[in-house]
Amino acid sequence: SQTIHQWPATLVQPVGSPLSLECTVEGTSNPNLYWYRQAAGRGLQLLFYSVGIGQISSEVPQNLSASRPQDRQFILSSKKLLLSDSGFYLCAWSVLLDWGGTEAFFGQGTRLTVV
Amino acid sequence: AQSVTQLGSHVSVSEGALVLLRCNYSSSVPPYLFWYVQYPNQGLQLLLKYTTGATLVKGINGFEAEFKKSETSFHLTKPSAHMSDAAEYFCAVSFYSGGYNKLIFGAGTRLAVHP
């Protein structure tokens, strides 16, 4: 069966420090991968998606970047964190299903607090 | 353009009462619709999905949702609320755009259940 791992679960970082969040998927090949951010009291905002190794698309301009060095590894990074980067970050994967749509499966999330 | 609107950011019910969480969508193509649940500091878990066929969809934990094309709605219901149902619920629509299958979420509805 497929599983998704996301770490760390919580992180407190000072403003201006770098960031690296990692997500790996097991049990599937060539998944679509996503990074979402959930700010306090708000819905899910899609940050990045990837359809393959080295293929990254950004949904919104921001202080963050993403990379996909391996098929089932997705990394969210920042060179210098801002206070506004605080939030709950979720990694997800999906595959195209036989009925033509997609279904996403989520990691447990990372609670990032920038101080 | 596809979008999802959840009416009511907070819903409070008594234990044993009917749960009704509202979701309306906008889609230029036949939609694939989902409800996800998120417990505090966790990722999202799929409750149920509508793809094609029967418009009344049953999910986990006693939840169900009905797809009504004429009303562009996909409301989530449960006949009798339990304390363990307290969580945040997200409605989502899946569609194909820009070379990948995108999953767009509503802003979420936080359900509180009181004794």
Side-chain angles (χ1 to χ4, degrees), chain B residues 17-104:
Chain B
L18 170 71
V19 175
L20 171 60
L21 305 183
R22 300 178 186 274
C23 173
N24 288 88
Y25 69 91
S26 171
S27 178
S28 56
V29 296
Y32 302 119
L33 297 162
F34 306 81
W35 276 100
Y36 284 84
V37 60
Q38 184 184 32
Y39 298 101
N41 292 311
Q42 293 189 27
L44 274 68
Q45 179 183 7
L46 181 68
L47 269 179
L48 48 81
K49 64 186 178 193
Y50 168 78
T51 56
T52 58
T55 56
L56 182 62
V57 181
K58 295 186 182 298
I60 62 171
N61 302 338
F63 284 93
E64 61 183 35
E66 187 171 9
F67 169 61
K68 292 187 176 180
K69 185 178 180 180
S70 60
E71 299 177 8
T72 61
S73 69
F74 191 56
H75 301 331
L76 182 71
T77 61
K78 182 174 180 178
S80 177
H82 295 164
M83 297 296 288
S84 60
D85 294 327
E88 188 152 21
Y89 292 81
F90 292 91
C91 184
V93 61
S94 167
F95 61 96
Y96 186 81
S97 173
Y100 80 108
N101 281 284
K102 185 179 286 190
L103 194 60
I104 298 297

Side-chain angles (χ1 to χ4, degrees), chain A residues 6-13 19 21 35-42 85-90 108-114, chain B residues 38-43 88 110:
Chain A
Q6 187 179 343
W7 69 92
T10 60
L11 191 60
V12 179
Q13 292 283 100
L19 172 73
L21 303 181
W35 279 110
Y36 287 87
R37 177 170 58 201
Q38 186 178 20
R42 301 177 66 178
D85 292 323
S86 293
F88 192 55
Y89 290 82
L90 289 160
Q108 291 299 295
T110 296
R111 172 75 58 193
L112 171 66
T113 304
V114 182
Chain B
Q38 184 184 32
Y39 298 101
N41 292 311
Q42 293 189 27
E88 188 152 21
R110 187 169 297 279

Side-chain angles (χ1 to χ4, degrees), chain A residues 8 13 15 20 28 34 59 63 73 83 104:
Chain A
Q13 292 283 100
V15 169
S20 180
T28 186
Y34 310 82
E59 285 291 299
N63 183 43
Q73 184 185 28
L83 286 174

Side-chain angles (χ1 to χ4, degrees), chain A residues 35-66:
Chain A
W35 279 110
Y36 287 87
R37 177 170 58 201
Q38 186 178 20
R42 301 177 66 178
L44 290 160
Q45 179 185 34
L46 178 61
L47 302 177
F48 299 96
Y49 69 90
S50 172
V51 298
I53 295 174
Q55 302 178 62
I56 309 295
S57 295
S58 174
E59 285 291 299
V60 293
Q62 57 205 310
N63 183 43
L64 302 167
S65 62

